[in-house]
Amino acid sequence: MKFKFSIIAITVLLIVLFVKSTIDTGSFDIVKLLGIIAIALLLFWADRKLERPVNKASLRRDIKKEFKNKE
């Protein structure tokens, strides 16, 4: 979820470029559209894998470690 808005912005930009290319050339290329979808799915998957679950126990542990490091 860290980069969710960035991924959405990149996907929208790619789709806009795809639509512009489709209008300019007059031909609909399904391979380009599937590529954009694949890139978006890959980015969302990577973002999800980079997420670190946070719960009360991990927060307490991190806070205790931080205080120990300061002393």
Side-chain angles (χ1 to χ4, degrees), residues 3-71:
F3 304 107
K4 182 179 179 182
F5 296 112
S6 300
I7 294 170
I8 291 171
I10 290 168
T11 305
V12 168
L13 178 66
L14 288 173
I15 290 173
V16 167
L17 290 172
F18 171 74
V19 168
K20 183 181 179 305
S21 171
T22 301
I23 291 171
D24 290 346
T25 61
S27 63
F28 181 78
D29 192 9
I30 191 73
V31 176
K32 288 182 183 177
L33 185 59
L34 291 175
I36 292 170
I37 293 170
I39 289 170
L41 289 175
L42 178 71
L43 291 174
F44 275 111
W45 176 81
D47 182 49
R48 188 171 181 114
K49 287 294 178 181
L50 290 173
E51 269 185 27
R52 191 179 105 193
V54 177
N55 55 28
K56 285 184 181 181
S58 67
L59 285 175
R60 286 183 187 145
R61 184 178 59 243
D62 292 343
I63 290 170
K64 285 180 183 179
K65 285 181 183 178
E66 191 65 33
F67 281 123
K68 285 182 183 178
N69 289 339
K70 286 184 179 181
E71 292 176 351

